[in-house]
Amino acid sequence: MSTLSERPDSASVGLAIPHESAALHVTGAALYTDDLVYRTKHVLHAYPVQVPHAHARVTALRTEPALAVPGVVRVLTAADVPGVNDAGVKQDEPLFPTEVMFHGHAVCWVLGETIEAARLGAAAVEVDVEALPALVTVREAIDAQSFQGGQPQLARGDVEAGLARSTRVFSGEFEFSGQEHFYLETHAALAHVDESEQIFVQSSTQHPSETQEIVAHVLGKHSSEVTVQCLRMGGGFGGKEMQPHGFAAIAALGAVLTGRPVRLRLNRTQDLTMSGKRHGFHSQWRVGFDDDGRLQALDATLTADGGWSLDLSEPVLARALCHVDNAYFIPDIRVNGRIARTNKTSNTAFRGFGGPQGMLVLEDILGRCAPLLGLDAAELRRRNFYSAGQSTPYGQPVRHPERITAVWDELCERSEFDARRAEIERFNAEHEHVKRGLALTPVKFGISFNLTAFNQGGALVHVYKDGSVLINHGGTEMGQGLHTKMLQVAATTLGIPLHKVRLAPTRTDKVPNTSATAASSGADLNGGAIKNACEQIRDRLLHVAGARLGVPAADVRIVDGVAAALGGADGVLWDDLVFTAYMQRVQLSAAGYYRTEGLHWDSSTFQGSPFKYFAYGAAAAEVEVDGFTGAYRTRRVDIVHDVGDSLSPLVDLGQIEGGFVQGAGWLTLEDLRWDESDGAGRGRFLTQAASTYKLPSFSEMPETFNVTLLRNATEEGAVYGSKATGEPPLMLAFSVREALRQAAAAFGPAGTSVDLASPATPEAVYWAVEQAREHSARGHVVEGGNGAVPPQPGADAPPMRPRSEQVLTDVSHV
Ligand code: MTE
Ligand code: MOS
């Protein structure tokens, strides 16, 4: 076992403890960035001037009327920027734009004594624009060939040969929707300037170091002149990985120009209309199977809806390409990726970071093709799992592929799959207007940032003279329980009880050059760094203890706060040991560092081993669909998930349940809509409140919900044998979508393949049910049978039918 993964006796990691802030969360005592405003004097409030055009050139901006509004102090415009007028790292996101790129784009910001004064001031600003043509849908962007960023290709083998070898070949298209993060806490920043012009920004950000860098470049300052702190976030989900920077920069600019603290917090409508979402995708594909239903070849083009600027679209697309295989071996494969530029908010990271989108393409293919291949969908999936010795299309050997089948088999057992499938068949035979479906889907998710350099973490650990311990690390807390896990790691490494360790808020002046808390790697990276820092201090203390006990340091262990020689009866109490060390002038503080070993990635060839390991899981979902309305409910969900040896089982359980429900929201409830008409409101985001954007709530929770962590799952390559948990469970929700497809298909004859829109809202399910019924009347799939491989549907393909009835063609050449 590696020293990284090995757990000592009576370790704090692995204890099922509540989230470290649970009591504060539920009592309302937990402080979020905007709560600090009420503890700060002389604060100014920032309010955006949003322009209601999807695409337009600003021809005049008159700010004087705003200054006439009582309480308005200043209007921030491009002319005020001392450094670079850009909110991002790609230089394609002007902070104060002269071209409005999406409906609601902010062109300037008003500072007021109250938020109301700032709002009235913003309303008084006069903006003249010249309207420009706008692309709203990804389809329109494809037709107009409006793309941005690189167009990568993932390839292995010879896809044409693979298709020619296949006995069944299908082709189709699938367009699916994005998702709004809907974190409870909207974007927020509070900036101060001190007497030496040091900038201090409190920001709700997953990436304090990048927020710091962007604030610095906007202000024309060095990073050392800017400190960013994140207390905690009320949810980030990827939405605060890149998007907080511009808002923090506005607050910081205001603070520098006025000398007063400036607060910027978006209200919900502003957050929904200004910040980016999960990328929706368009995909077109050809797939080949052999007689046994084994995947032979996949040829696909994935187009991500990037919105108006690149933001994180390129890495999101890369992860989509690297996850198109999910848990399945595809010998010959070619997947092209591209990013549409549309006049919408700039789409960004969202839990899974493109992985869910890539996987959805193949899971949709399997769900649609299984009935045409005459196979049960679960059986089709199982037949195609990776096995020992196989590699992903990007050339990385699949580590622990046997865990896919282990997870799957345990799931089949725990969910009583065979018995329930038979029961559902009986139920469906007996009920004409209500049908049930039960589907199993797997998840294989690569852990690490694709970009190797990001896979490093830092920590700073202080032991004070009285034996109390304060830890800092580079990760941010957004509800995912990272801080809880880090406290457990520190207590474990030092060998002391958990209550002796405290954690300080994340700050760039404590731990520099951090990566975003993202890619689910927070615990791997920061845990590795904390362990490293604590080991340095512990090793120094072991020498002090060895000298006191008269044994070599190597023979001393610190367990439960007592340092004792192996097999020895006498011990030194931790507090005593620490004070002794201090008196002997032994350093009681250490900076820790960790980098993930063994990673490499070539983004130009799309080859390498970008991931340290894979997280595995599988879910079984049962749904019931009403044939009159398409309304459905989720009757039961069983999950088996691989978190390695859990650092914190309750936290992981929460991540799995929450991730699953969030995924089910994306795939079945949450329906983003924009005004696609040619009217005056073109490009307006229509679902701009919880009243029109349906989020999962308690009523959508599965009636029975069983989550099991895979046992005996030590991951040698990660801290204390654990695996990341943050994102992978989201993709377990494919099971709900596939169960809905099967229930809808049950309204038609056996072997019916139905297409299901995503999100599979009740309306979409209704159309799928109709399709199944229609199928029973006249059949809809075209069987070619002339030996020809269908061409890849291109830009000249007929326009997509409504999302719920997309075309799938079977051209078998047997
Ligand atoms: N869980 C909660 N409660 N809130 C969040 O914002 N973000 C998710 C996931 N789980 C999130 C969450 C995302 S997108 C990621 S990448 C991981 O947490 C990040 O944290 P980790 O690296 O510590 O797992
Ligand atoms: Mo998570 S999408 O990697 O912030």
Side-chain angles (χ1 to χ4, degrees):
M1 195 175 280
S2 68
T3 52
L4 181 63
S5 65
E6 199 181 349
R7 285 190 181 188
D9 294 337
S10 71
S12 286
V13 291
L15 294 179
I17 57 168
H19 189 286
E20 111 312 309
S21 290
L24 303 180
H25 290 157
V26 298
T27 56
L31 288 180
Y32 297 84
T33 298
D34 201 52
D35 294 322
L36 302 169
V37 171
Y38 305 97
R39 306 174 160 219
T40 312
K41 282 197 176 133
H42 309 304
V43 177
L44 290 174
H45 305 259
Y47 203 94
V49 176
Q50 292 183 265
V51 177
H53 285 275
H55 192 195
R57 200 177 345 270
V58 178
T59 52
L61 184 66
R62 287 181 294 277
T63 57
E64 308 77 40
L67 296 171
V69 173
V72 169
V73 171
R74 186 157 184 151
V75 183
L76 303 177
T77 68
D80 293 315
V81 177
V84 183
N85 179 22
D86 202 277
V89 291
K90 299 261 172 196
Q91 313 307 316
D92 68 343
E93 279 183 52
L95 186 59
F96 297 96
T98 49
E99 188 175 336
V100 174
M101 293 298 286
F102 64 93
H103 197 285
H105 204 164
V107 292
C108 63
W109 292 75
V110 178
L111 303 181
E113 296 287 351
T114 61
I115 189 74
E116 184 59 6
R119 184 182 73 81
L120 293 171
V125 170
E126 295 169 5
V127 189
D128 294 346
V129 298
E130 176 195 325
L132 298 168
L135 300 168
V136 177
T137 66
V138 66
R139 252 289 158 189
E140 289 166 356
I142 293 173
D143 290 345
Q145 295 285 297
S146 165
F147 301 113
Q148 55 187 331
Q151 301 203 355
Q153 184 181 74
L154 169 74
R156 168 171 65 194
D158 180 343
V159 80
E160 297 303 335
L163 289 169
R165 184 173 75 235
S166 303
T167 47
R168 302 293 298 276
V169 177
F170 305 92
S171 71
E173 282 189 71
F174 178 37
E175 188 180 336
F176 50 91
S177 203
Q179 182 178 21
E180 165 56 39
H181 301 87
F182 232 106
Y183 26 63
L184 288 180
E185 180 207 21
T186 53
H187 279 290
L190 173 65
H192 298 252
V193 184
D194 76 8
E195 86 291 345
S196 63
E197 291 184 18
Q198 177 75 16
I199 320 286
F200 182 56
V201 186
Q202 311 240 27
S203 168
S204 182
T205 175
Q206 287 175 247
H207 199 169
S209 287
E210 199 169 71
T211 303
Q212 173 196 26
E213 282 155 27
I214 285 168
V215 167
H217 86 211
V218 168
L219 298 179
K221 292 193 176 267
H222 299 291
S223 289
S224 61
E225 296 169 279
V226 178
T227 299
V228 173
Q229 168 166 297
C230 178
L231 289 181
R232 58 163 62 77
M233 283 163 277
F237 306 112
K240 294 174 182 168
E241 200 176 324
M242 186 69 108
Q243 310 250 321
H245 311 330
F247 304 122
I250 296 285
L253 179 63
V256 167
L257 293 176
T258 61
R260 292 174 59 179
V262 174
R263 164 245 201 167
L264 186 163
R265 179 181 68 81
L266 300 184
N267 65 32
R268 182 62 65 182
T269 313
Q270 289 163 347
D271 196 291
L272 288 167
T273 54
M274 292 168 71
S275 72
K277 313 178 190 318
R278 183 191 291 288
H279 295 71
F281 272 59
H282 173 269
S283 64
Q284 48 198 30
W285 48 267
R286 295 183 296 165
V287 68
F289 297 90
D290 70 8
D291 279 333
D292 297 326
R294 291 209 164 73
L295 282 159
Q296 298 301 307
L298 175 69
D299 183 18
T301 298
L302 270 50
T303 310
D305 185 350
W308 74 279
S309 71
L310 271 177
D311 187 272
L312 288 163
S313 295
E314 288 178 302
V316 163
L317 179 64
R319 188 164 278 267
L321 298 192
C322 288
H323 283 79
V324 92
D325 59 333
N326 192 10
Y328 314 105
F329 178 62
I330 311 168
D332 293 295
I333 182 166
R334 179 176 63 205
V335 186
N336 290 305
R338 49 190 189 177
I339 301 159
R341 189 198 295 277
T342 53
N343 294 106
K344 295 203 294 252
T345 53
S346 186
N347 289 327
T348 191
F350 195 141
R351 206 170 193 169
F353 202 85
Q357 290 96 319
M359 285 155 65
L360 179 57
V361 171
L362 190 61
E363 290 298 344
D364 181 71
I365 289 174
L366 295 178
R368 288 158 88 174
C369 292
L372 305 173
L373 293 166
L375 284 172
D376 177 79
E379 174 58 23
L380 176 63
R381 290 187 162 91
R382 197 185 198 291
R383 275 188 200 181
N384 283 290
F385 286 163
Y386 277 110
S387 57
Q390 292 177 332
S391 295
T392 63
Y394 45 90
Q396 170 156 9
V398 178
R399 183 176 165 88
H400 296 151
E402 70 286 353
R403 285 203 194 172
I404 307 175
T405 32
V407 161
W408 190 261
D409 292 347
E410 185 176 339
L411 179 69
C412 286
E413 215 172 281
R414 288 188 181 267
S415 66
E416 304 155 292
F417 180 64
D418 290 329
R420 282 169 61 214
R421 191 170 42 181
E423 182 192 303
I424 286 171
E425 260 171 44
R426 265 196 310 279
F427 178 93
N428 287 348
E430 286 163 9
H431 294 81
E432 194 187 341
H433 302 301
V434 190
K435 304 284 183 190
R436 291 179 180 168
L438 170 61
L440 261 61
T441 57
V443 169
K444 164 183 136 290
F445 191 81
I447 301 298
S448 299
F449 290 93
N450 267 77
L451 185 77
T452 303
F454 289 171
N455 297 290
Q456 54 177 315
L460 182 61
V461 173
H462 302 317
V463 177
Y464 293 97
K465 275 182 283 189
D466 67 350
S468 62
V469 179
L470 186 67
I471 62 172
N472 296 270
H473 64 89
T476 54
E477 175 63 41
M478 56 196 101
Q480 87 279 36
L482 177 61
H483 285 352
T484 311
K485 290 181 170 180
M486 297 303 95
L487 289 166
Q488 289 176 278
V489 167
T492 301
T493 312
L494 293 172
I496 56 177
L498 203 51
H499 68 81
K500 295 200 83 80
V501 189
R502 272 184 76 91
L503 189 143
T506 315
R507 292 173 62 122
T508 55
D509 58 356
K510 291 283 176 58
V511 180
N513 309 322
T514 53
S515 297
T517 305
S520 306
S521 60
D524 287 11
L525 299 177
N526 300 291
I530 286 183
K531 184 166 183 284
N532 173 255
C534 291
E535 279 168 354
Q536 296 172 41
I537 299 172
R538 185 195 62 196
D539 290 351
R540 292 177 209 143
L541 290 173
L542 291 179
H543 280 95
V544 176
R548 260 198 44 188
L549 295 165
V551 297
D555 291 347
V556 181
R557 297 286 178 278
I558 308 174
V559 179
D560 292 334
V562 181
L566 287 171
D570 295 343
V572 187
L573 292 177
W574 170 262
D575 294 356
D576 188 7
L577 176 62
V578 166
F579 191 72
T580 307
Y582 169 76
M583 292 307 287
Q584 294 176 3
R585 294 186 291 169
V586 171
Q587 192 189 1
L588 290 171
S589 166
Y593 182 74
Y594 175 78
R595 64 162 166 258
T596 317
E597 298 295 343
L599 307 179
H600 61 99
W601 175 244
D602 182 342
S603 59
S604 61
T605 58
F606 251 70
Q607 290 289 310
S609 284
F611 306 124
K612 184 67 184 179
Y613 57 85
F614 296 96
Y616 297 112
E622 181 183 332
V623 300
E624 184 175 293
V625 168
D626 176 313
F628 294 114
T629 61
Y632 51 79
R633 57 201 181 94
T634 308
R635 288 169 44 82
R636 173 171 166 182
V637 171
D638 293 85
I639 289 171
V640 177
H641 197 77
D642 169 18
V643 299
D645 293 336
S646 176
L647 291 177
S648 202
L650 277 183
V651 165
D652 283 343
L653 183 67
Q655 285 292 291
I656 295 168
E657 291 177 350
F660 174 85
V661 170
Q662 193 165 40
W666 170 45
L667 294 167
T668 68
L669 301 168
E670 301 178 36
D671 202 355
L672 298 170
R673 296 290 176 106
W674 283 266
D675 185 339
E676 296 174 11
S677 76
D678 287 328
R682 180 167 169 77
R684 181 170 170 265
F685 183 53
L686 298 175
T687 44
Q688 35 175 280
S691 56
T692 44
Y693 187 70
K694 176 72 187 101
L695 293 161
S697 55
F698 278 118
S699 52
E700 283 82 24
M701 285 286 283
E703 290 158 31
T704 307
F705 197 1
N706 304 313
V707 178
T708 311
L709 305 182
L710 185 72
R711 280 157 307 172
N712 304 323
T714 311
E715 169 49 59
E716 297 265 309
V719 63
Y720 291 126
S722 63
K723 278 189 180 183
T725 338
E727 296 164 288
L730 181 127
M731 289 147 270
L732 296 167
F734 293 138
S735 58
V736 183
R737 183 167 188 274
E738 292 306 314
L740 288 169
R741 185 201 304 283
Q742 290 178 19
F747 286 91
T752 298
S753 162
V754 301
D755 308 337
L756 188 58
S758 192
T761 56
E763 181 186 343
V765 171
Y766 175 78
W767 290 115
V769 169
E770 278 292 281
Q771 190 195 32
R773 288 189 182 124
E774 234 178 77
H775 188 291
S776 59
R778 47 189 163 84
H780 113 113
V781 172
V782 187
E783 189 98 28
N786 60 357
V789 173
Q792 171 113 328
D796 54 346
M800 294 267 294
R801 291 203 264 154
R803 284 195 289 208
S804 52
E805 3 163 4
Q806 296 161 8
V807 192
L808 178 138
T809 324
D810 176 4
V811 186
S812 301
H813 52 110
V814 257

